[in-house]
Amino acid sequence: MGNKQKLKFEFMRGFVAIAIAIAVAFIFIFICADDPANALNCLLIRPIISNGALNVSSILTILGRMTPIIFTGLAVCVMFSANQFNLAGEGTVMAGGFVAALLAIYVPMAAGLHPVVCILVGAVVGGLLMLIPAIAKVKLNASEMVCSLMLNYVVLYVIMHFLSNVFADRSQGSTQTYPFLETAKVAKMVPGTELTWGFVIAIIATILVGFFMYRTRWGYTIRMIGINESFSKYSGMRVGGVIVLSQVIGGALSGMGGAIEVLGRYNTFLWKDLPGYGWTGITVAILAKNNPLAIPFAALFIAYLNRGCELMSIYAGVPAEMIDIIQAVIFLFFAAEQFMSKTRQKMVVKETKEELAKKQQEAAVEGGNA
């Protein structure tokens, strides 16, 4: 199958998977909602249009909520491109946000420098944490999926220990840190909304990761190892080092996303559970087919659905967890290798027949000219 036909098939496959997920959501909406029409309006229309006018506030909220899942989507994209099913995005997002929060509270700096240092340190912490499953995979041949999954809960409970027993502000009614210094906060692009300058950083990160993956030797090596690790090894590529590199980059991106989210959206660190951005990043990367440049569009789709489910919960009484059902169905059909395989086969047969007919026609023309 040629590149054009392959792209067409993948687009069709993705569209059908999303359509099935939305259809399943419709079924649950009709079961749960007292007013299904209003619920569907909240899910599909109200995130951008409310009372016949453009809902600017909601649109800015959607853009703001894209920021962390762009970072986790990019992280998963890099790691999955190397065929490394690392699931520690949840833990590294939380760790990056927590360390950035501590710097934002206890280490005074100049206004312009403070958030930059916090974000970079959050990225470093995320990258260092990812060394654990990466080295375990390379040196001990341990499953990176199992190690990274367990790492999430290690990170969660370590952070909860320090948050509850060392850094908690006892004057507050809930478990949270002291407020961040004003110099450390990521500024809002539009005051009074969730949209911060972190969104711009996320877009820049997308461009840089896309350049890295498709315009550098290291990116090519990562993709080649993902396609065929044995061939890459016998071709002289340093497979072990590249596997570690891909996971460290993924951890750094997730940690950066966590730091930007915490410093841009909150005044204190108060996450008591894994934030969910790592799991959403997996769905985003799957939707984007591991293409970094498609990550923002996939993140926009998920953020839009997230906002729609939130509005359904507020105005139509439908549980906000509907977004989890939609993501799960999308993940199911994208992960199913045989989904629409017959359609793919028909497209291959049709393309082959067209190529044969074209070659026979060219041969006949050449024979006539002779």
Side-chain angles (χ1 to χ4, degrees):
M1 183 181 289
N3 290 334
K4 187 176 180 180
Q5 288 293 95
K6 186 177 180 180
L7 183 63
K8 180 181 177 181
F9 171 74
E10 292 296 345
F11 179 81
M12 183 190 306
R13 186 171 183 264
F15 178 81
V16 172
I18 292 170
I20 293 173
I22 298 296
V24 171
F26 282 2
I27 294 172
F28 282 100
I29 288 170
F30 278 102
I31 294 172
C32 300
D34 295 329
D35 185 355
N38 180 43
L40 292 176
N41 178 62
C42 289
L43 176 65
L44 301 177
I45 307 299
R46 197 159 182 165
I48 56 173
I49 298 176
S50 180
N51 298 322
L54 201 64
N55 194 342
V56 177
S57 175
S58 181
I59 292 171
L60 295 176
T61 297
I62 291 169
L63 294 177
R65 293 182 183 180
M66 286 172 58
T67 303
I69 59 177
I70 287 176
F71 280 104
T72 54
L74 290 172
V76 173
C77 177
V78 174
M79 295 186 291
F80 278 19
S81 293
N83 200 29
Q84 300 303 303
F85 296 97
N86 190 309
L87 306 178
E90 279 289 280
T92 48
V93 162
M94 192 169 188
F98 183 65
V99 173
L102 296 182
L103 291 176
I105 298 167
Y106 298 107
V107 184
M109 297 184 200
L113 180 64
H114 205 170
V116 174
V117 172
C118 293
I119 292 168
L120 291 177
V121 172
V124 170
V125 169
L128 291 175
L129 279 174
M130 282 297 194
L131 281 173
I132 298 172
I135 292 176
K137 173 64 181 289
V138 172
K139 297 297 183 181
L140 304 175
N141 198 29
S143 169
E144 76 281 0
M145 183 172 66
V146 175
C147 291
S148 59
L149 188 61
M150 294 299 101
L151 180 63
N152 288 329
Y153 296 99
V154 173
V155 170
L156 170 63
Y157 291 118
V158 168
I159 288 176
M160 285 308 302
H161 166 75
F162 284 103
L163 177 60
S164 301
N165 299 295
V166 180
F167 299 110
D169 182 358
R170 303 299 179 188
S171 65
Q172 300 297 319
S174 62
T175 304
Q176 61 188 56
T177 64
Y178 290 92
F180 304 146
L181 297 173
E182 288 297 324
T183 55
K185 293 180 181 179
V186 176
K188 304 281 187 181
M189 286 183 66
V190 180
T193 70
E194 295 182 20
L195 183 62
T196 70
W197 286 101
F199 179 78
V200 176
I201 300 173
I203 298 302
I204 294 172
T206 299
I207 296 170
L208 292 177
V209 172
F211 180 84
F212 173 80
M213 292 297 294
Y214 292 99
R215 291 291 185 270
T216 67
R217 179 172 61 88
W218 286 105
Y220 172 78
T221 305
I222 287 173
R223 290 185 291 113
M224 282 304 301
I225 289 173
I227 295 170
N228 193 323
E229 184 175 325
S230 298
F231 173 79
S232 301
K233 182 178 181 180
Y234 289 110
S235 297
M237 296 181 183
R238 299 178 61 185
V239 173
V242 174
I243 286 175
V244 172
L245 174 66
S246 66
Q247 296 185 57
V248 169
I249 291 174
L253 288 167
S254 295
M256 182 179 293
I260 290 173
E261 178 69 359
V262 167
L263 299 181
R265 189 172 175 184
Y266 303 97
N267 294 316
T268 65
F269 185 91
L270 40 71
W271 288 351
K272 301 178 184 66
D273 295 295
L274 295 172
Y277 298 129
W279 307 127
T280 305
I282 295 173
T283 305
V284 168
I286 290 172
L287 281 173
K289 301 299 292 182
N290 287 342
N291 182 347
L293 298 180
I295 291 291
F297 301 101
L300 175 62
F301 172 73
I302 294 297
Y304 187 97
L305 288 180
N306 188 294
R307 179 60 175 166
C309 289
E310 181 182 56
L311 292 173
M312 278 199 305
S313 176
I314 296 171
Y315 297 105
V318 177
E321 288 75 15
M322 187 63 66
I323 185 65
D324 296 325
I325 295 174
I326 297 173
Q327 287 185 42
V329 176
I330 292 173
F331 184 88
L332 172 67
F333 284 100
F334 268 83
E337 293 292 335
Q338 296 303 312
F339 179 56
M340 294 186 67
S341 59
K342 290 185 178 180
T343 303
R344 180 188 180 95
Q345 185 179 5
K346 289 179 181 178
M347 291 178 68
V348 171
V349 171
K350 181 181 178 181
E351 184 181 12
T352 303
K353 287 181 178 179
E354 289 176 352
E355 288 181 358
L356 287 174
K358 184 178 180 181
K359 288 181 179 179
Q360 288 174 355
Q361 186 178 6
E362 290 175 353
V365 172
E366 289 178 0
N369 292 334

